[in-house]
Amino acid sequence: MSDRYAVIGRPINHTKSPLIHGLFANATGQHLEYGAIEGSLEAFEAQVHQFRDGGGLGMNITAPFKLRAFELADQRSERARLARAANALRFENGCITAENFDGIGLLRDIEVNLGEPLRNRRVLMLGAGGAVRGALLPFLDAEPAELVVANRDMAKAMALRNELDHPRLRISRYEALEGQAFDIVINATSASLVGERPPLPGQVLGTAQLAYELAYGKGLTPFLRLAREQGVGRLADGVGMLVEQAAEAFAWWRGVRPDTRAVIDQLTIPLE
Ligand code: ATR
């Protein structure tokens, strides 16, 4: 029997993870099975234990279970702890370890695939939910000139700051962004999922070289449209992040890091 992995989420029918991990396995000559499990709101923990007890070696976790996966683990990486969320679990010697590769996946996509290093750049991140929490540590490690996090709910954003006091991290209201300039702007809010856009004032995207939308496969979202109107040179969605976080998990489980370029190309849906 080959080694078993799976992604669990609710709903799970649109997941690309089995496809991505299947392509990685082929490309690296690793023998594994990777399935998809529709999670149960009542019995998520039991489902994870059942998969592990049946010989499973690891799982990816997607919405809405990332927090519950983090909580059920015996050990947690630092970035999972800061995110208070796990997107990957590893089962080893009776121990469940939680990791969060979303932030590092996003960083790698921006720096390596899109060729925009964060070092000494001014970076604006919109939102203060799980996606932003997961990205803070890897982003600050990349030494931007400043990382500004803007959110409507200031209490939520300030809570981030209280957990991670860093000289390059600044919390801002949307209105206070007026007149500021950024090189890289990332929409990590869930606004696009309901066809909305974060309340960015004035021409705040005007100087940016890259506008990045975390949502994948939603085409030109209201945020990306605004970025285009304000003349941002490069627009990207989250396909590269999706593939990069998968590659990190694959490397963590299998000890081999697959090449991501061909898989990103295969999954890319043109923005228009
Ligand atoms: P996730 O874990 O996916 O990041 P979340 O924890 O539900 O999701 O957080 C959603 C984020 O999107 C929040 O930062 C939310 O802002 P508030 O905390 O101010 O509510 C943000 N968000 C959702 N809809 C938005 C909109 N229309 N404009 C701006 N921000 C929005």
mmCIF file with all atom_site columns, all heavy atoms in Angstrom, residues 52 57-59 69-70 72-77 80 86 88-92 94-100 252-253:
data_model
loop_
_atom_site.group_PDB
_atom_site.id
_atom_site.type_symbol
_atom_site.label_atom_id
_atom_site.label_alt_id
_atom_site.label_comp_id
_atom_site.label_asym_id
_atom_site.label_entity_id
_atom_site.label_seq_id
_atom_site.pdbx_PDB_ins_code
_atom_site.Cartn_x
_atom_site.Cartn_y
_atom_site.Cartn_z
_atom_site.occupancy
_atom_site.B_iso_or_equiv
_atom_site.pdbx_formal_charge
_atom_site.auth_seq_id
_atom_site.auth_comp_id
_atom_site.auth_asym_id
_atom_site.auth_atom_id
_atom_site.pdbx_PDB_model_num
ATOM 1   N N   . ARG A 1 52  ? -5.500 9.129  10.469 1.00 0.00 ? 52  ARG A N   1
ATOM 2   C CA  . ARG A 1 52  ? -4.185 8.786  11.011 1.00 0.00 ? 52  ARG A CA  1
ATOM 3   C C   . ARG A 1 52  ? -4.144 7.309  11.426 1.00 0.00 ? 52  ARG A C   1
ATOM 4   O O   . ARG A 1 52  ? -3.214 6.582  11.093 1.00 0.00 ? 52  ARG A O   1
ATOM 5   C CB  . ARG A 1 52  ? -3.888 9.686  12.208 1.00 0.00 ? 52  ARG A CB  1
ATOM 6   C CG  . ARG A 1 52  ? -2.458 9.633  12.681 1.00 0.00 ? 52  ARG A CG  1
ATOM 7   C CD  . ARG A 1 52  ? -2.175 9.113  14.062 1.00 0.00 ? 52  ARG A CD  1
ATOM 8   N NE  . ARG A 1 52  ? -3.226 9.080  15.028 1.00 0.00 ? 52  ARG A NE  1
ATOM 9   C CZ  . ARG A 1 52  ? -3.195 9.696  16.199 1.00 0.00 ? 52  ARG A CZ  1
ATOM 10  N NH1 . ARG A 1 52  ? -2.174 10.459 16.492 1.00 0.00 ? 52  ARG A NH1 1
ATOM 11  N NH2 . ARG A 1 52  ? -4.170 9.542  17.067 1.00 0.00 ? 52  ARG A NH2 1
ATOM 12  N N   . LEU A 1 57  ? -0.351 9.592  6.767  1.00 0.00 ? 57  LEU A N   1
ATOM 13  C CA  . LEU A 1 57  ? 0.901  10.203 7.249  1.00 0.00 ? 57  LEU A CA  1
ATOM 14  C C   . LEU A 1 57  ? 0.809  11.715 7.398  1.00 0.00 ? 57  LEU A C   1
ATOM 15  O O   . LEU A 1 57  ? 1.612  12.315 8.109  1.00 0.00 ? 57  LEU A O   1
ATOM 16  C CB  . LEU A 1 57  ? 2.050  9.859  6.295  1.00 0.00 ? 57  LEU A CB  1
ATOM 17  C CG  . LEU A 1 57  ? 2.395  8.373  6.172  1.00 0.00 ? 57  LEU A CG  1
ATOM 18  C CD1 . LEU A 1 57  ? 3.544  8.177  5.190  1.00 0.00 ? 57  LEU A CD1 1
ATOM 19  C CD2 . LEU A 1 57  ? 2.763  7.792  7.536  1.00 0.00 ? 57  LEU A CD2 1
ATOM 20  N N   . GLY A 1 58  ? -0.160 12.321 6.689  1.00 0.00 ? 58  GLY A N   1
ATOM 21  C CA  . GLY A 1 58  ? -0.269 13.769 6.790  1.00 0.00 ? 58  GLY A CA  1
ATOM 22  C C   . GLY A 1 58  ? -1.540 14.260 6.137  1.00 0.00 ? 58  GLY A C   1
ATOM 23  O O   . GLY A 1 58  ? -2.151 13.561 5.332  1.00 0.00 ? 58  GLY A O   1
ATOM 24  N N   . MET A 1 59  ? -1.941 15.472 6.519  1.00 0.00 ? 59  MET A N   1
ATOM 25  C CA  . MET A 1 59  ? -3.148 16.061 5.923  1.00 0.00 ? 59  MET A CA  1
ATOM 26  C C   . MET A 1 59  ? -2.933 17.538 5.656  1.00 0.00 ? 59  MET A C   1
ATOM 27  O O   . MET A 1 59  ? -2.205 18.203 6.396  1.00 0.00 ? 59  MET A O   1
ATOM 28  C CB  . MET A 1 59  ? -4.340 15.954 6.891  1.00 0.00 ? 59  MET A CB  1
ATOM 29  C CG  . MET A 1 59  ? -4.829 14.557 7.103  1.00 0.00 ? 59  MET A CG  1
ATOM 30  S SD  . MET A 1 59  ? -6.238 14.535 8.257  1.00 0.00 ? 59  MET A SD  1
ATOM 31  C CE  . MET A 1 59  ? -7.560 14.151 7.133  1.00 0.00 ? 59  MET A CE  1
ATOM 32  N N   . ALA A 1 69  ? -7.735 22.276 13.577 1.00 0.00 ? 69  ALA A N   1
ATOM 33  C CA  . ALA A 1 69  ? -6.561 21.421 13.312 1.00 0.00 ? 69  ALA A CA  1
ATOM 34  C C   . ALA A 1 69  ? -5.385 21.874 14.169 1.00 0.00 ? 69  ALA A C   1
ATOM 35  O O   . ALA A 1 69  ? -4.637 21.052 14.728 1.00 0.00 ? 69  ALA A O   1
ATOM 36  C CB  . ALA A 1 69  ? -6.188 21.487 11.833 1.00 0.00 ? 69  ALA A CB  1
ATOM 37  N N   . PHE A 1 70  ? -5.238 23.179 14.290 1.00 0.00 ? 70  PHE A N   1
ATOM 38  C CA  . PHE A 1 70  ? -4.165 23.731 15.134 1.00 0.00 ? 70  PHE A CA  1
ATOM 39  C C   . PHE A 1 70  ? -4.361 23.270 16.570 1.00 0.00 ? 70  PHE A C   1
ATOM 40  O O   . PHE A 1 70  ? -3.421 22.845 17.248 1.00 0.00 ? 70  PHE A O   1
ATOM 41  C CB  . PHE A 1 70  ? -4.206 25.260 15.045 1.00 0.00 ? 70  PHE A CB  1
ATOM 42  C CG  . PHE A 1 70  ? -3.307 25.953 16.020 1.00 0.00 ? 70  PHE A CG  1
ATOM 43  C CD1 . PHE A 1 70  ? -1.946 26.033 15.784 1.00 0.00 ? 70  PHE A CD1 1
ATOM 44  C CD2 . PHE A 1 70  ? -3.823 26.515 17.178 1.00 0.00 ? 70  PHE A CD2 1
ATOM 45  C CE1 . PHE A 1 70  ? -1.107 26.670 16.692 1.00 0.00 ? 70  PHE A CE1 1
ATOM 46  C CE2 . PHE A 1 70  ? -2.995 27.157 18.086 1.00 0.00 ? 70  PHE A CE2 1
ATOM 47  C CZ  . PHE A 1 70  ? -1.629 27.232 17.853 1.00 0.00 ? 70  PHE A CZ  1
ATOM 48  N N   . LEU A 1 72  ? -5.994 20.671 17.779 1.00 0.00 ? 72  LEU A N   1
ATOM 49  C CA  . LEU A 1 72  ? -5.905 19.229 18.093 1.00 0.00 ? 72  LEU A CA  1
ATOM 50  C C   . LEU A 1 72  ? -4.476 18.703 18.062 1.00 0.00 ? 72  LEU A C   1
ATOM 51  O O   . LEU A 1 72  ? -4.214 17.590 18.524 1.00 0.00 ? 72  LEU A O   1
ATOM 52  C CB  . LEU A 1 72  ? -6.842 18.400 17.212 1.00 0.00 ? 72  LEU A CB  1
ATOM 53  C CG  . LEU A 1 72  ? -6.557 18.112 15.747 1.00 0.00 ? 72  LEU A CG  1
ATOM 54  C CD1 . LEU A 1 72  ? -5.394 17.163 15.525 1.00 0.00 ? 72  LEU A CD1 1
ATOM 55  C CD2 . LEU A 1 72  ? -7.783 17.482 15.119 1.00 0.00 ? 72  LEU A CD2 1
ATOM 56  N N   . ALA A 1 73  ? -3.541 19.491 17.528 1.00 0.00 ? 73  ALA A N   1
ATOM 57  C CA  . ALA A 1 73  ? -2.162 19.007 17.389 1.00 0.00 ? 73  ALA A CA  1
ATOM 58  C C   . ALA A 1 73  ? -1.459 18.890 18.748 1.00 0.00 ? 73  ALA A C   1
ATOM 59  O O   . ALA A 1 73  ? -1.832 19.552 19.713 1.00 0.00 ? 73  ALA A O   1
ATOM 60  C CB  . ALA A 1 73  ? -1.381 19.953 16.486 1.00 0.00 ? 73  ALA A CB  1
ATOM 61  N N   . ASP A 1 74  ? -0.436 18.028 18.793 1.00 0.00 ? 74  ASP A N   1
ATOM 62  C CA  . ASP A 1 74  ? 0.382  17.888 20.013 1.00 0.00 ? 74  ASP A CA  1
ATOM 63  C C   . ASP A 1 74  ? 1.544  18.877 19.986 1.00 0.00 ? 74  ASP A C   1
ATOM 64  O O   . ASP A 1 74  ? 2.027  19.301 21.028 1.00 0.00 ? 74  ASP A O   1
ATOM 65  C CB  . ASP A 1 74  ? 0.964  16.470 20.098 1.00 0.00 ? 74  ASP A CB  1
ATOM 66  C CG  . ASP A 1 74  ? -0.128 15.418 20.001 1.00 0.00 ? 74  ASP A CG  1
ATOM 67  O OD1 . ASP A 1 74  ? -1.040 15.450 20.841 1.00 0.00 ? 74  ASP A OD1 1
ATOM 68  O OD2 . ASP A 1 74  ? -0.079 14.587 19.073 1.00 0.00 ? 74  ASP A OD2 1
ATOM 69  N N   . GLN A 1 75  ? 2.015  19.191 18.784 1.00 0.00 ? 75  GLN A N   1
ATOM 70  C CA  . GLN A 1 75  ? 3.154  20.114 18.618 1.00 0.00 ? 75  GLN A CA  1
ATOM 71  C C   . GLN A 1 75  ? 2.801  21.111 17.530 1.00 0.00 ? 75  GLN A C   1
ATOM 72  O O   . GLN A 1 75  ? 2.128  20.755 16.569 1.00 0.00 ? 75  GLN A O   1
ATOM 73  C CB  . GLN A 1 75  ? 4.380  19.354 18.113 1.00 0.00 ? 75  GLN A CB  1
ATOM 74  C CG  . GLN A 1 75  ? 5.065  18.544 19.150 1.00 0.00 ? 75  GLN A CG  1
ATOM 75  C CD  . GLN A 1 75  ? 6.285  17.848 18.540 1.00 0.00 ? 75  GLN A CD  1
ATOM 76  O OE1 . GLN A 1 75  ? 6.732  18.166 17.439 1.00 0.00 ? 75  GLN A OE1 1
ATOM 77  N NE2 . GLN A 1 75  ? 6.814  16.892 19.258 1.00 0.00 ? 75  GLN A NE2 1
ATOM 78  N N   . ARG A 1 76  ? 3.332  22.362 17.671 1.00 0.00 ? 76  ARG A N   1
ATOM 79  C CA  . ARG A 1 76  ? 2.984  23.392 16.689 1.00 0.00 ? 76  ARG A CA  1
ATOM 80  C C   . ARG A 1 76  ? 4.213  24.205 16.337 1.00 0.00 ? 76  ARG A C   1
ATOM 81  O O   . ARG A 1 76  ? 4.981  24.574 17.231 1.00 0.00 ? 76  ARG A O   1
ATOM 82  C CB  . ARG A 1 76  ? 1.940  24.342 17.280 1.00 0.00 ? 76  ARG A CB  1
ATOM 83  C CG  . ARG A 1 76  ? 0.691  23.646 17.724 1.00 0.00 ? 76  ARG A CG  1
ATOM 84  C CD  . ARG A 1 76  ? -0.141 24.486 18.666 1.00 0.00 ? 76  ARG A CD  1
ATOM 85  N NE  . ARG A 1 76  ? -1.351 23.768 19.018 1.00 0.00 ? 76  ARG A NE  1
ATOM 86  C CZ  . ARG A 1 76  ? -1.567 23.186 20.188 1.00 0.00 ? 76  ARG A CZ  1
ATOM 87  N NH1 . ARG A 1 76  ? -0.661 23.254 21.142 1.00 0.00 ? 76  ARG A NH1 1
ATOM 88  N NH2 . ARG A 1 76  ? -2.688 22.541 20.416 1.00 0.00 ? 76  ARG A NH2 1
ATOM 89  N N   . SER A 1 77  ? 4.384  24.501 15.071 1.00 0.00 ? 77  SER A N   1
ATOM 90  C CA  . SER A 1 77  ? 5.496  25.353 14.661 1.00 0.00 ? 77  SER A CA  1
ATOM 91  C C   . SER A 1 77  ? 5.201  26.788 15.118 1.00 0.00 ? 77  SER A C   1
ATOM 92  O O   . SER A 1 77  ? 4.058  27.134 15.425 1.00 0.00 ? 77  SER A O   1
ATOM 93  C CB  . SER A 1 77  ? 5.659  25.343 13.138 1.00 0.00 ? 77  SER A CB  1
ATOM 94  O OG  . SER A 1 77  ? 4.611  26.059 12.548 1.00 0.00 ? 77  SER A OG  1
ATOM 95  N N   . ALA A 1 80  ? 2.712  28.504 12.847 1.00 0.00 ? 80  ALA A N   1
ATOM 96  C CA  . ALA A 1 80  ? 1.345  28.026 13.084 1.00 0.00 ? 80  ALA A CA  1
ATOM 97  C C   . ALA A 1 80  ? 0.807  28.673 14.353 1.00 0.00 ? 80  ALA A C   1
ATOM 98  O O   . ALA A 1 80  ? -0.358 29.075 14.416 1.00 0.00 ? 80  ALA A O   1
ATOM 99  C CB  . ALA A 1 80  ? 1.327  26.508 13.213 1.00 0.00 ? 80  ALA A CB  1
ATOM 100 N N   . ALA A 1 86  ? -3.599 25.906 11.424 1.00 0.00 ? 86  ALA A N   1
ATOM 101 C CA  . ALA A 1 86  ? -2.738 24.943 10.734 1.00 0.00 ? 86  ALA A CA  1
ATOM 102 C C   . ALA A 1 86  ? -3.295 24.694 9.349  1.00 0.00 ? 86  ALA A C   1
ATOM 103 O O   . ALA A 1 86  ? -4.504 24.547 9.193  1.00 0.00 ? 86  ALA A O   1
ATOM 104 C CB  . ALA A 1 86  ? -2.699 23.630 11.511 1.00 0.00 ? 86  ALA A CB  1
ATOM 105 N N   . ALA A 1 88  ? -1.415 22.350 7.542  1.00 0.00 ? 88  ALA A N   1
ATOM 106 C CA  . ALA A 1 88  ? -0.846 21.020 7.285  1.00 0.00 ? 88  ALA A CA  1
ATOM 107 C C   . ALA A 1 88  ? -0.568 20.326 8.609  1.00 0.00 ? 88  ALA A C   1
ATOM 108 O O   . ALA A 1 88  ? -0.165 20.961 9.585  1.00 0.00 ? 88  ALA A O   1
ATOM 109 C CB  . ALA A 1 88  ? 0.443  21.148 6.473  1.00 0.00 ? 88  ALA A CB  1
ATOM 110 N N   . LEU A 1 89  ? -0.805 19.024 8.616  1.00 0.00 ? 89  LEU A N   1
ATOM 111 C CA  . LEU A 1 89  ? -0.503 18.187 9.790  1.00 0.00 ? 89  LEU A CA  1
ATOM 112 C C   . LEU A 1 89  ? 0.405  17.052 9.351  1.00 0.00 ? 89  LEU A C   1
ATOM 113 O O   . LEU A 1 89  ? 0.330  16.595 8.198  1.00 0.00 ? 89  LEU A O   1
ATOM 114 C CB  . LEU A 1 89  ? -1.781 17.580 10.371 1.00 0.00 ? 89  LEU A CB  1
ATOM 115 C CG  . LEU A 1 89  ? -2.850 18.526 10.911 1.00 0.00 ? 89  LEU A CG  1
ATOM 116 C CD1 . LEU A 1 89  ? -4.092 17.722 11.326 1.00 0.00 ? 89  LEU A CD1 1
ATOM 117 C CD2 . LEU A 1 89  ? -2.324 19.339 12.099 1.00 0.00 ? 89  LEU A CD2 1
ATOM 118 N N   . ARG A 1 90  ? 1.257  16.631 10.286 1.00 0.00 ? 90  ARG A N   1
ATOM 119 C CA  . ARG A 1 90  ? 2.085  15.441 10.024 1.00 0.00 ? 90  ARG A CA  1
ATOM 120 C C   . ARG A 1 90  ? 1.892  14.474 11.185 1.00 0.00 ? 90  ARG A C   1
ATOM 121 O O   . ARG A 1 90  ? 1.884  14.900 12.351 1.00 0.00 ? 90  ARG A O   1
ATOM 122 C CB  . ARG A 1 90  ? 3.550  15.855 9.905  1.00 0.00 ? 90  ARG A CB  1
ATOM 123 C CG  . ARG A 1 90  ? 4.453  14.723 9.484  1.00 0.00 ? 90  ARG A CG  1
ATOM 124 C CD  . ARG A 1 90  ? 5.813  15.236 9.038  1.00 0.00 ? 90  ARG A CD  1
ATOM 125 N NE  . ARG A 1 90  ? 6.582  15.753 10.157 1.00 0.00 ? 90  ARG A NE  1
ATOM 126 C CZ  . ARG A 1 90  ? 7.767  16.363 10.036 1.00 0.00 ? 90  ARG A CZ  1
ATOM 127 N NH1 . ARG A 1 90  ? 8.296  16.546 8.831  1.00 0.00 ? 90  ARG A NH1 1
ATOM 128 N NH2 . ARG A 1 90  ? 8.412  16.793 11.083 1.00 0.00 ? 90  ARG A NH2 1
ATOM 129 N N   . PHE A 1 91  ? 1.736  13.213 10.854 1.00 0.00 ? 91  PHE A N   1
ATOM 130 C CA  . PHE A 1 91  ? 1.530  12.183 11.881 1.00 0.00 ? 91  PHE A CA  1
ATOM 131 C C   . PHE A 1 91  ? 2.797  11.339 11.953 1.00 0.00 ? 91  PHE A C   1
ATOM 132 O O   . PHE A 1 91  ? 3.174  10.706 10.966 1.00 0.00 ? 91  PHE A O   1
ATOM 133 C CB  . PHE A 1 91  ? 0.339  11.298 11.517 1.00 0.00 ? 91  PHE A CB  1
ATOM 134 C CG  . PHE A 1 91  ? -0.905 12.073 11.156 1.00 0.00 ? 91  PHE A CG  1
ATOM 135 C CD1 . PHE A 1 91  ? -1.581 11.805 9.975  1.00 0.00 ? 91  PHE A CD1 1
ATOM 136 C CD2 . PHE A 1 91  ? -1.393 13.069 11.988 1.00 0.00 ? 91  PHE A CD2 1
ATOM 137 C CE1 . PHE A 1 91  ? -2.721 12.514 9.629  1.00 0.00 ? 91  PHE A CE1 1
ATOM 138 C CE2 . PHE A 1 91  ? -2.528 13.782 11.658 1.00 0.00 ? 91  PHE A CE2 1
ATOM 139 C CZ  . PHE A 1 91  ? -3.197 13.511 10.469 1.00 0.00 ? 91  PHE A CZ  1
ATOM 140 N N   . GLU A 1 92  ? 3.416  11.323 13.117 1.00 0.00 ? 92  GLU A N   1
ATOM 141 C CA  . GLU A 1 92  ? 4.700  10.637 13.224 1.00 0.00 ? 92  GLU A CA  1
ATOM 142 C C   . GLU A 1 92  ? 4.898  10.175 14.657 1.00 0.00 ? 92  GLU A C   1
ATOM 143 O O   . GLU A 1 92  ? 4.740  10.980 15.582 1.00 0.00 ? 92  GLU A O   1
ATOM 144 C CB  . GLU A 1 92  ? 5.798  11.655 12.873 1.00 0.00 ? 92  GLU A CB  1
ATOM 145 C CG  . GLU A 1 92  ? 7.058  11.065 12.327 1.00 0.00 ? 92  GLU A CG  1
ATOM 146 C CD  . GLU A 1 92  ? 7.997  12.192 11.868 1.00 0.00 ? 92  GLU A CD  1
ATOM 147 O OE1 . GLU A 1 92  ? 8.045  13.251 12.551 1.00 0.00 ? 92  GLU A OE1 1
ATOM 148 O OE2 . GLU A 1 92  ? 8.643  12.031 10.851 1.00 0.00 ? 92  GLU A OE2 1
ATOM 149 N N   . GLY A 1 94  ? 3.176  8.636  16.756 1.00 0.00 ? 94  GLY A N   1
ATOM 150 C CA  . GLY A 1 94  ? 2.054  8.890  17.663 1.00 0.00 ? 94  GLY A CA  1
ATOM 151 C C   . GLY A 1 94  ? 1.828  10.364 17.984 1.00 0.00 ? 94  GLY A C   1
ATOM 152 O O   . GLY A 1 94  ? 1.029  10.701 18.849 1.00 0.00 ? 94  GLY A O   1
ATOM 153 N N   . CYS A 1 95  ? 2.549  11.250 17.287 1.00 0.00 ? 95  CYS A N   1
ATOM 154 C CA  . CYS A 1 95  ? 2.463  12.682 17.579 1.00 0.00 ? 95  CYS A CA  1
ATOM 155 C C   . CYS A 1 95  ? 1.890  13.422 16.351 1.00 0.00 ? 95  CYS A C   1
ATOM 156 O O   . CYS A 1 95  ? 2.252  13.128 15.213 1.00 0.00 ? 95  CYS A O   1
ATOM 157 C CB  . CYS A 1 95  ? 3.878  13.170 17.901 1.00 0.00 ? 95  CYS A CB  1
ATOM 158 S SG  . CYS A 1 95  ? 3.975  14.916 18.227 1.00 0.00 ? 95  CYS A SG  1
ATOM 159 N N   . ILE A 1 96  ? 1.008  14.378 16.604 1.00 0.00 ? 96  ILE A N   1
ATOM 160 C CA  . ILE A 1 96  ? 0.459  15.202 15.513 1.00 0.00 ? 96  ILE A CA  1
ATOM 161 C C   . ILE A 1 96  ? 1.131  16.574 15.556 1.00 0.00 ? 96  ILE A C   1
ATOM 162 O O   . ILE A 1 96  ? 1.054  17.277 16.563 1.00 0.00 ? 96  ILE A O   1
ATOM 163 C CB  . ILE A 1 96  ? -1.070 15.383 15.660 1.00 0.00 ? 96  ILE A CB  1
ATOM 164 C CG1 . ILE A 1 96  ? -1.772 14.020 15.670 1.00 0.00 ? 96  ILE A CG1 1
ATOM 165 C CG2 . ILE A 1 96  ? -1.610 16.273 14.543 1.00 0.00 ? 96  ILE A CG2 1
ATOM 166 C CD1 . ILE A 1 96  ? -3.298 14.102 15.809 1.00 0.00 ? 96  ILE A CD1 1
ATOM 167 N N   . THR A 1 97  ? 1.817  16.923 14.479 1.00 0.00 ? 97  THR A N   1
ATOM 168 C CA  . THR A 1 97  ? 2.485  18.224 14.410 1.00 0.00 ? 97  THR A CA  1
ATOM 169 C C   . THR A 1 97  ? 1.741  19.135 13.442 1.00 0.00 ? 97  THR A C   1
ATOM 170 O O   . THR A 1 97  ? 1.361  18.714 12.348 1.00 0.00 ? 97  THR A O   1
ATOM 171 C CB  . THR A 1 97  ? 3.948  18.065 13.942 1.00 0.00 ? 97  THR A CB  1
ATOM 172 O OG1 . THR A 1 97  ? 4.577  17.093 14.770 1.00 0.00 ? 97  THR A OG1 1
ATOM 173 C CG2 . THR A 1 97  ? 4.701  19.376 14.029 1.00 0.00 ? 97  THR A CG2 1
ATOM 174 N N   . ALA A 1 98  ? 1.538  20.401 13.873 1.00 0.00 ? 98  ALA A N   1
ATOM 175 C CA  . ALA A 1 98  ? 0.819  21.384 13.055 1.00 0.00 ? 98  ALA A CA  1
ATOM 176 C C   . ALA A 1 98  ? 1.799  22.369 12.432 1.00 0.00 ? 98  ALA A C   1
ATOM 177 O O   . ALA A 1 98  ? 2.708  22.866 13.096 1.00 0.00 ? 98  ALA A O   1
ATOM 178 C CB  . ALA A 1 98  ? -0.180 22.145 13.925 1.00 0.00 ? 98  ALA A CB  1
ATOM 179 N N   . GLU A 1 99  ? 1.585  22.661 11.175 1.00 0.00 ? 99  GLU A N   1
ATOM 180 C CA  . GLU A 1 99  ? 2.388  23.651 10.450 1.00 0.00 ? 99  GLU A CA  1
ATOM 181 C C   . GLU A 1 99  ? 1.444  24.600 9.723  1.00 0.00 ? 99  GLU A C   1
ATOM 182 O O   . GLU A 1 99  ? 0.267  24.296 9.533  1.00 0.00 ? 99  GLU A O   1
ATOM 183 C CB  . GLU A 1 99  ? 3.282  22.953 9.411  1.00 0.00 ? 99  GLU A CB  1
ATOM 184 C CG  . GLU A 1 99  ? 4.745  22.896 9.783  1.00 0.00 ? 99  GLU A CG  1
ATOM 185 C CD  . GLU A 1 99  ? 5.434  24.264 9.811  1.00 0.00 ? 99  GLU A CD  1
ATOM 186 O OE1 . GLU A 1 99  ? 4.772  25.298 9.641  1.00 0.00 ? 99  GLU A OE1 1
ATOM 187 O OE2 . GLU A 1 99  ? 6.656  24.279 9.995  1.00 0.00 ? 99  GLU A OE2 1
ATOM 188 N N   . ASN A 1 100 ? 1.986  25.735 9.319  1.00 0.00 ? 100 ASN A N   1
ATOM 189 C CA  . ASN A 1 100 ? 1.221  26.651 8.489  1.00 0.00 ? 100 ASN A CA  1
ATOM 190 C C   . ASN A 1 100 ? 2.136  27.167 7.381  1.00 0.00 ? 100 ASN A C   1
ATOM 191 O O   . ASN A 1 100 ? 3.074  27.919 7.647  1.00 0.00 ? 100 ASN A O   1
ATOM 192 C CB  . ASN A 1 100 ? 0.676  27.814 9.316  1.00 0.00 ? 100 ASN A CB  1
ATOM 193 C CG  . ASN A 1 100 ? -0.324 28.621 8.523  1.00 0.00 ? 100 ASN A CG  1
ATOM 194 O OD1 . ASN A 1 100 ? -0.091 28.916 7.349  1.00 0.00 ? 100 ASN A OD1 1
ATOM 195 N ND2 . ASN A 1 100 ? -1.433 28.966 9.127  1.00 0.00 ? 100 ASN A ND2 1
ATOM 196 N N   . TRP A 1 252 ? 7.983  18.886 3.447  1.00 0.00 ? 252 TRP A N   1
ATOM 197 C CA  . TRP A 1 252 ? 7.945  18.586 4.882  1.00 0.00 ? 252 TRP A CA  1
ATOM 198 C C   . TRP A 1 252 ? 7.624  17.108 5.112  1.00 0.00 ? 252 TRP A C   1
ATOM 199 O O   . TRP A 1 252 ? 8.215  16.453 5.958  1.00 0.00 ? 252 TRP A O   1
ATOM 200 C CB  . TRP A 1 252 ? 6.878  19.485 5.506  1.00 0.00 ? 252 TRP A CB  1
ATOM 201 C CG  . TRP A 1 252 ? 6.752  19.472 6.993  1.00 0.00 ? 252 TRP A CG  1
ATOM 202 C CD1 . TRP A 1 252 ? 7.748  19.610 7.909  1.00 0.00 ? 252 TRP A CD1 1
ATOM 203 C CD2 . TRP A 1 252 ? 5.530  19.354 7.729  1.00 0.00 ? 252 TRP A CD2 1
ATOM 204 N NE1 . TRP A 1 252 ? 7.211  19.594 9.177  1.00 0.00 ? 252 TRP A NE1 1
ATOM 205 C CE2 . TRP A 1 252 ? 5.865  19.447 9.090  1.00 0.00 ? 252 TRP A CE2 1
ATOM 206 C CE3 . TRP A 1 252 ? 4.183  19.205 7.372  1.00 0.00 ? 252 TRP A CE3 1
ATOM 207 C CZ2 . TRP A 1 252 ? 4.906  19.371 10.112 1.00 0.00 ? 252 TRP A CZ2 1
ATOM 208 C CZ3 . TRP A 1 252 ? 3.231  19.149 8.372  1.00 0.00 ? 252 TRP A CZ3 1
ATOM 209 C CH2 . TRP A 1 252 ? 3.591  19.227 9.730  1.00 0.00 ? 252 TRP A CH2 1
ATOM 210 N N   . TRP A 1 253 ? 6.689  16.594 4.306  1.00 0.00 ? 253 TRP A N   1
ATOM 211 C CA  . TRP A 1 253 ? 6.289  15.191 4.458  1.00 0.00 ? 253 TRP A CA  1
ATOM 212 C C   . TRP A 1 253 ? 7.289  14.234 3.828  1.00 0.00 ? 253 TRP A C   1
ATOM 213 O O   . TRP A 1 253 ? 7.555  13.163 4.355  1.00 0.00 ? 253 TRP A O   1
ATOM 214 C CB  . TRP A 1 253 ? 4.937  14.948 3.761  1.00 0.00 ? 253 TRP A CB  1
ATOM 215 C CG  . TRP A 1 253 ? 3.762  15.617 4.385  1.00 0.00 ? 253 TRP A CG  1
ATOM 216 C CD1 . TRP A 1 253 ? 3.551  15.878 5.723  1.00 0.00 ? 253 TRP A CD1 1
ATOM 217 C CD2 . TRP A 1 253 ? 2.592  16.097 3.705  1.00 0.00 ? 253 TRP A CD2 1
ATOM 218 N NE1 . TRP A 1 253 ? 2.330  16.486 5.895  1.00 0.00 ? 253 TRP A NE1 1
ATOM 219 C CE2 . TRP A 1 253 ? 1.727  16.632 4.685  1.00 0.00 ? 253 TRP A CE2 1
ATOM 220 C CE3 . TRP A 1 253 ? 2.191  16.121 2.361  1.00 0.00 ? 253 TRP A CE3 1
ATOM 221 C CZ2 . TRP A 1 253 ? 0.478  17.182 4.360  1.00 0.00 ? 253 TRP A CZ2 1
ATOM 222 C CZ3 . TRP A 1 253 ? 0.969  16.667 2.046  1.00 0.00 ? 253 TRP A CZ3 1
ATOM 223 C CH2 . TRP A 1 253 ? 0.126  17.192 3.039  1.00 0.00 ? 253 TRP A CH2 1
#
